[in-house]
């Protein structure tokens, strides 16, 4: 029997409309824009960025233990991170001109206390950072995390990574951007609710996009497994966050964790054509007392007796340290707590350079 | 002719204490108009008489109305002879097949020519366009099912219907497997706690199954579909039948495939075929105790089954066979003291016993579990045919069921024969010690020394449903139904953990050597220990619903089916706390256009809302349990130290806010009778299930990555679950079904259905956080919640079903083909806090791809498509044996012996993506059926 025209119309509508609707039934399309893609997976991170005991397949298994040092008689905390990969093998590991440094988008650096996330973004109405907010939100919704443009990546074979935990700062000024809304460089440079200097891609270039213009400062932002346990000296945690001195930011919509060492000063007398990081001195006693045996044993970095030249915030502070050992006066009676107390003749240059970030003063 | 009732009767009927209706429609209806062929004038006063083997109480007779219309209601499914007679003329006869829950339109244009053919019996007619309802789905009859190879379980054959996927508890058009209602002769046997089917039925006692997938009228209240069984009644002739079905591993191809998706059989693998057999025996007797007055049908089935997991990883020891024994008994009495009354009593019992239920190669016999289940249920119904315009139905039913689970050694005998004396495992595995705790080794997923928790779980249900059906005229023709549905449910639960504790070990390496056994100095694998005291609790709930549904025929081509229902349900836990007090309003509106005005081309549009006001599942979880303490191994102290607690009086919270869980559904359907006894249809369904119940962990504060718990809201290291119905917990389904159903001749049966569907949303599994499958719970770890919005695990994009059979002179050949595209899977990553793979790094239905921190690399993951083809070949020796039907059948399952993976490894382990399960290999089932 011939199907009436009305039937044919209905049939056609029934077939076509739902199919079109069906094609729009992609739940992933709702994720367009600047959504959180979760935490960075550290599966390809070099071992030093996973923490002690870290397993790339089991995020959170590593631990970063800050240690105690002394600076002019006062205790400070720092994390000793040895140079790694190609940087460790470089003839001049302090020269940044030979390495490709990623950008780091730093929100409101001049209007925000050192080592803190910017609070100049727009928080949700009536937002209160309380226990419930801590439970619900991965990050504070009244702060804006800084944005990274590269992750540490292990080489194949391991040990030859070119990653250097230093970023070239791009200063970003908050205007009316919702907090934690921007999570990637791509999103950030396209926004009109922030202010930053932009560098368009060269004309005719393919695959390149607009980026921020570096401010000229270098920051030690050591990306780590964001799930790793980070502890203040003695295993202490921050009373409010129950976390250590690590900070959190964003990379390509993924949540990252990092150890913030602050601004790296550049040596004013860098040889021509180089950009050398200025260092401060880090001393450790060559002999320490083994409390169990009562014997003197060789000392090493990070045993709680290290001496730093400067504290963070002081002129002369650098998160890069040149390492020296020193002969303590009498380890049985106690240790020097200031470099000034050490006999210069008893100091030996080990030739080693390490990253020695100190946490911001407020979080100590 | 009686004077027509108008709708003033309705409120009175609602108040009548014995106005009644079934929850599920068990009968069909015949209706139509008799006209004079020459003038098209209606013929009032024509006599319509129906008789059939299913109809107790003798033929039913009605007269056509002044407009020539007639209808005969409450007709049990079956074949009927319709006789149309007019005073002074010879009668006209037709034969029709009435299907459960459906209306058969039989309009007759009478002429002298037809009168001359008065005594001719026309072939059986089947009308499947359902011209008076918006309901989608179909009716599966015992007759159809006897023509194809099936598992002989009502739960499985539902898969033949368009829009149905999943397993024994099916997903119907995108709803969860816990969203369906199961009715047997009107009794709601949906489990009060799990909301899944709660009883098994002797397959030979099932007369027909109405599978309603959408467009439900107001008498139904289901977030998913409704599976409505009617069991076989007696008749005026005694009938005895018996059958025996045999399955055995010798009649099956072994399952010896590689673990990679692309690997086929391993031709050089030489391992013994593990036991795999099944023996099903049924006996059915039915007939009249008093002809036309009292019928009886008695049915019994015994099923013995042995199944085994093929030898293989992880333990490489032949797992003990799973042995099951089921005893299914059913009795149905039908009594018709007069033409106005029909009483039906149904009683069922389904005890079953299962040994070694795990079957996963991850445990030795000593760590196996045992389950016993089943119960008894009964319903009595009274149909009262007051007049041609009014009939009532009253139902009252009860059910008791139990599910007891625990270590195999507690209930039965441990089978250690496969490894006793091997020397590979310690002596602790060779005998059962009720006080020895279970160890789980997270390094290889194995379980040791002990089965799981010992639980005794009992459920009780009482149901009372009165309703009234009224037919009349007011601005058109109405067929209205009003009713009240009430249910009281009770659940009691006892649980104890053998040894009072259990271990979750990890890091010590695979196998028994990796376990945490400090008593022998083996501590490498020590991780978590959970101490759980024994406890008991019970919950009770009730619901009351009232519905009104009209089928309003405004003109010959336009119907409007308006309806609504109100439901209220309340549940309470052991503490006397009100866990839920939910009200739901469910409007239903259907519009039906008869495009060709001959009942052959129907376009329907429907909107309806169903509400779930009664479920003890939330109350069962939101109840007092003892405080369980989880301890973590301290490597420095060499001992377990407290990590967190769960349970206890403060281990849960109730959230009185939140809407009632509900489904909104829009259905558009076009149906056309394109051939004799054949219908083709296109159905589009949009369904959104909202405010799904769930348990929200509200005390743990996770680190920003969701890997470690760093603090607690109340400062106490414990888990607190809040039972709630979040607005964000939903699932959405879009689906379009193309269906062709045909029974052109008695010898042929054909049904083809293709479904294109999309199912997505965060509502994957209810209460996953507390049911032990944290990997699926979106409300356990807030850092993971946003990953739970994606294609759901039950999303099957393409589904093709074909059922075909042909019979000729005793020979029968039937086939069922089912093609399903793959199911979404989500890669899971290690969670340091849980010591297990519970975290996600990409949305549901995906994995992060090759570049782990690049969203453009995220890729959808699905299991491969699965095609199964089952075949039945049978021959009936009736021509040789005369009065006796003796049929010999051979059923081939998975005829092409396809080996598509049905489950893959989704954890972030080296074997990620490898096959964990495949479709069952080719097997042959032999059967013999005798009936007299």
């Amino acid at each position: 029997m011939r199907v009436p025209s009305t039937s044919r119309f209905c049939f056609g509508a029934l077939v076509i409309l739902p199919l079109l609707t069906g094609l729009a039934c992609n739940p992933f399309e709702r994720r367009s824009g600047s959504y959180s893609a979760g935490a960075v997976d550290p599966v390809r991170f070099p071992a030093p960025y996973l923490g002690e005991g870290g397993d790339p397949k089991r995020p959170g298994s590593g631990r970063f233990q800050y240690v105690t040092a002394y600076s002019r008689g006062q205790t400070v905390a720092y994390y000793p991170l040895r140079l790694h990969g190609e940087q460790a093998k470089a003839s001049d590991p302090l020269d940044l001109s030979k390495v490709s440094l990623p950008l780091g988008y730093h929100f409101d650096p001049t209007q925000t206390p050192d080592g803190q996330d910017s609070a100049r973004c727009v928080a949700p109405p009536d937002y209160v950072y309380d226990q419930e907010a801590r439970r619900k939100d991965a990050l504070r919704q009244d702060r804006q995390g800084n944005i990274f443009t590269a992750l540490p990546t292990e080489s194949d074979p391991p040990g030859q990574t070119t990653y250097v935990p230093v970023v070239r700062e791009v200063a970003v000024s908050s205007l009316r951007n919702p907090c934690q809304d921007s999570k990637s460089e791509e999103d950030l440079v396209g926004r009109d609710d922030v202010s930053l200097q932009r560098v368009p891609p060269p004309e005719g270039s393919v695959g390149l996009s607009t980026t921020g213009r570096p401010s000229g400062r270098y920051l030690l932002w050591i990306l780590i497994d964001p799930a790793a346990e980070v502890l203040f000296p003695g295993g202490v945690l921050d009373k409010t966050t129950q976390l250590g001195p690590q900070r959190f930011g964003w990379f390509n919509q993924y949540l990252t964790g990092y150890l913030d060492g602050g601004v790296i000063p550049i040596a004013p007398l860098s040889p021509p054509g180089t950009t050398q990081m200025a260092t401060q001195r880090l001393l450790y006693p060559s002999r320490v007392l083994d409390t169990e045996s009562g014997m003197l044993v060789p000392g090493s970095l990070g045993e709680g007796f290290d001496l730093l030249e400067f504290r963070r915030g002081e002129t002369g502070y650098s998160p890069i340290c040149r390492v020296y050992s020193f002969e303590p006066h009498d380890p049985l009676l106690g240790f020097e707590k200031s470099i000034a107390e050490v006999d210069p003749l008893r100091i030996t240059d080990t030739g080693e350079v390490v990253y020695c970030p100190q946490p911001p003063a407020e979080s100590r | 002719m009686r004077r027509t009732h108008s709708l003033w009767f309705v409120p009175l009927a609602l108040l009548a204490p014995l106005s009644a209706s079934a929850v599920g429609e068990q009968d069909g209806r015949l209706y139509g108009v008799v006209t004079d062929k020459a003038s098209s004038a209606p013929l009032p006063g024509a006599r319509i008489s129906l008789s059939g083997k299913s109809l107790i109480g003798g033929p039913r007779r009605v007269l056509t109305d002044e407009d020539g219309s007639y209808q005969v209601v409450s007709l049990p499914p079956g074949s009927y002879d319709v006789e149309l007679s007019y005073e002074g003329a010879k009668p006209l006869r037709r034969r029709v097949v009435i299907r459960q829950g459906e209306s058969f339109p039989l309009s007759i244009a009478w002429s002298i020519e037809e009168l001359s053919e008065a005594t001719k019996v026309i072939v059986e007619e089947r009308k499947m366009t359902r011209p008076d309802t918006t309901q989608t789905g179909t009716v599966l009859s015992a007759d159809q099912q006897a023509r194809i190879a099936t598992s002989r379980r009502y739960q499985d054959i539902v898969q033949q219907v368009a829009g149905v996927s999943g397993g024994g508890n099916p997903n119907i058009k995108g709803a969860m497997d816990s969203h369906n209602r199961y009715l047997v002769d009107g009794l709601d046997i949906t489990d009060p706690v799990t909301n899944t089917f709660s009883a098994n039925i002797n397959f030979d006692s099932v007369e027909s199954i109405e599978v309603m997938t959408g467009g439900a009228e107001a008498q139904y209240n289901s977030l998913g579909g409704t599976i409505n069984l009617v069991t076989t009644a007696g008749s005026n002739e005694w009938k005895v039948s018996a059958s025996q079905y045999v399955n055995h591993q010798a009649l099956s191809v072994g399952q010896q495939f590689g673990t990679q998706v692309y690997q086929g059989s391993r031709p050089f693998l030489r391992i013994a075929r593990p036991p795999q057999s099944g023996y099903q025996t049924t006996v059915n007797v039915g007939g009249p105790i008093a002809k036309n007055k009292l019928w009886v049908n008695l049915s019994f089935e015994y099923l013995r089954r042995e199944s085994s997991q093929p030898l293989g990883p992880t333990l490489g020891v032949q797992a003990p066979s799973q042995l099951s024994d089921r005893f299914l008994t059913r009795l149905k009495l039908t009594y018709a003291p007069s033409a106005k009354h029909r009483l039906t009593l149904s009683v069922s019992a389904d005890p079953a016993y299962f040994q070694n239920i795990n079957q996963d190669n991850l445990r030795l016999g000593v760590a196996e579990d045992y389950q016993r289940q089943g119960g008894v249920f009964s319903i009595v119904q009274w149909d009262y045919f007051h007049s041609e315009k009014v009939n009532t139905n009253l139902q009252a039913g009860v059910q008791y069921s139990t599910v007891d689970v625990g270590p195999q050694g507690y209930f039965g005998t441990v089978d250690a024969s496969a490894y006793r004396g091997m020397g590979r495992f310690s002596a602790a595995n060779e005998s059962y010690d009720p006080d020895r705790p279970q160890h789980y080794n997270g390094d290889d997923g194995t379980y040791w020394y002990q089965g799981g928790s010992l639980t005794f779980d009992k459920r009780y249900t009482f149901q009372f449903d009165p309703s009234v059906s009224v037919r009349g005229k007011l601005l058109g023709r109405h067929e209205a139904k009003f009713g009240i549905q009430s249910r009281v449910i009770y659940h009691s639960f006892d649980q104890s953990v053998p040894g009072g504790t259990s271990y979750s070990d990890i890091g010590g390496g695979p196998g028994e050597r990796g376990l945490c056994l400090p008593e022998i100095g083996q501590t490498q694998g020590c991780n978590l220990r959970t101490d759980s005291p024994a406890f008991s609790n019970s919950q009770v709930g009730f619901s009351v619903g009232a519905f009104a549904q009209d089928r309003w025929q405004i003109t010959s081509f336009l119907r409007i089916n308006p309806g609504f229902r109100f439901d209220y349900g309340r549940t309470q836990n052991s503490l006397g706390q009100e866990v839920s007090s939910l009200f739901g309003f469910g409007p239903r509106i259907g519009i039906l256009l008869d495009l060709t005005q001959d009942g052959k081309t129907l376009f329907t549009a429907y909107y309806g809302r169903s509400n779930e006001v009664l479920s003890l599942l939330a109350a069962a979880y939101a109840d007092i349990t003892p405080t369980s303490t989880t301890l973590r191994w301290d490597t420095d102290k060499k001992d377990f130290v407290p990590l967190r607690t769960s349970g206890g009086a403060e281990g849960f919270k109730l959230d009185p806010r939140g809407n009632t869980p509900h489904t909104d559904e829009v259905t558009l359907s076009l149906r056309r009778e394109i051939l004799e006894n054949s219908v083709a249809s296109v159905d589009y369904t949009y369904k959104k299930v909202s405010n799904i119940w769930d348990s929200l962990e509200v005390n743990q504060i996770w680190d920003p990555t969701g890997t470690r718990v760093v603090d607690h809201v109340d400062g106490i290291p414990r888990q607190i679950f809040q039972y709630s119905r979040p607005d964000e917990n939903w699932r959405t389904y879009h689906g379009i079904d193309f269906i062709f159903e045909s029974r052109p001749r008695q010898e042929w049966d054909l049904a083809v259905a293709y479904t294109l569907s999309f199912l997505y949303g965060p509502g994957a599994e209810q209460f996953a956080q507390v049911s032990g499958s944290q990997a699926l719970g979106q409300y356990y770890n807030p850092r993971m919640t946003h990953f739970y919005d994606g294609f759901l695990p039950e999303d099957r994009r393409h589904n093709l079903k074909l059922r075909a059979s042909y019979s000729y002179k005793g020979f029968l050949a039937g086939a069922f083909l089912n093609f399903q595209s793959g199911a979404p899977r989500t890669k899971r990553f290690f969670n340091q806090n849980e010591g297990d793979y519970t975290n996600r790094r990409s949305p549901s239905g995906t994995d992060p791809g090759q570049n782990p921190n690049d969203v453009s690399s995220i890729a959808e993951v699905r299991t491969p498509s699965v095609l199964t083809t089952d075949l039945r070949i049978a021959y009936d020796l009736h021509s040789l044996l005369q009065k006796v039907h003796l049929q010999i059948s051979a059923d081939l399952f998975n005829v092409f012996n396809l080996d598509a993976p049905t489950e893959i490894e989704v954890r972030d382990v080296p074997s990620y993506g490898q096959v964990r399960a495949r479709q069952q290999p080719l097997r042959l089932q032999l059967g013999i059926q005798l009936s007299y």
Side-chain angles (χ1 to χ4, degrees), chain B residues 41 60 71 126 161-162 179 212 271 281 321 362 364 384 387 459 522 573 699 713 723 837 853:
Chain B
R60 295 266 293 278
Q71 59 182 320
R126 296 160 192 269
V161 181
H179 285 159
M212 197 182 307
I271 57 172
T281 307
S321 299
L362 295 173
L364 300 174
Y384 172 52
S387 67
R459 298 102 195 260
Q522 186 174 304
N573 63 15
N699 196 44
V713 172
Y723 293 87
Y837 293 83
N853 298 303

Side-chain angles (χ1 to χ4, degrees), chain A residues 1 4 7 11 14 18-19 22 25 27 30-31 36 39 41 44 57 59 131 134-135 151 227-228 242 254, chain B residues 596 601 670 672 682 684 697-698 700 707-708 710-712 734 736 756 783 786 789 791 841 850 853 908:
Chain A
M1 179 180 282
S7 280
F11 185 86
L14 269 172
L19 284 176
C25 297
R30 289 198 298 275
R31 292 176 186 265
S36 169
D41 185 349
R44 294 183 186 169
K57 299 289 280 182
Q131 289 289 78
R134 288 180 60 215
R135 188 188 74 80
L151 294 176
Q242 292 298 312
Y254 291 87
Chain B
T596 49
T601 311
L670 180 65
R672 167 76 188 167
V682 183
Y684 166 72
E697 204 295 314
V698 293
Q700 295 180 144
T707 306
R708 296 178 295 114
V710 296
D711 203 357
H712 295 81
H734 292 267
I736 184 163
L756 170 69
R783 311 290 180 260
H786 65 113
D789 186 5
F791 287 117
R841 292 192 178 279
Q850 289 300 306
N853 298 303
D908 180 32

Side-chain angles (χ1 to χ4, degrees), chain B residues 505-519:
Chain B
D505 307 332
I506 200 162
E512 193 176 10
R513 289 183 182 174
L515 301 181
C516 173
L517 301 170
E519 62 271 24

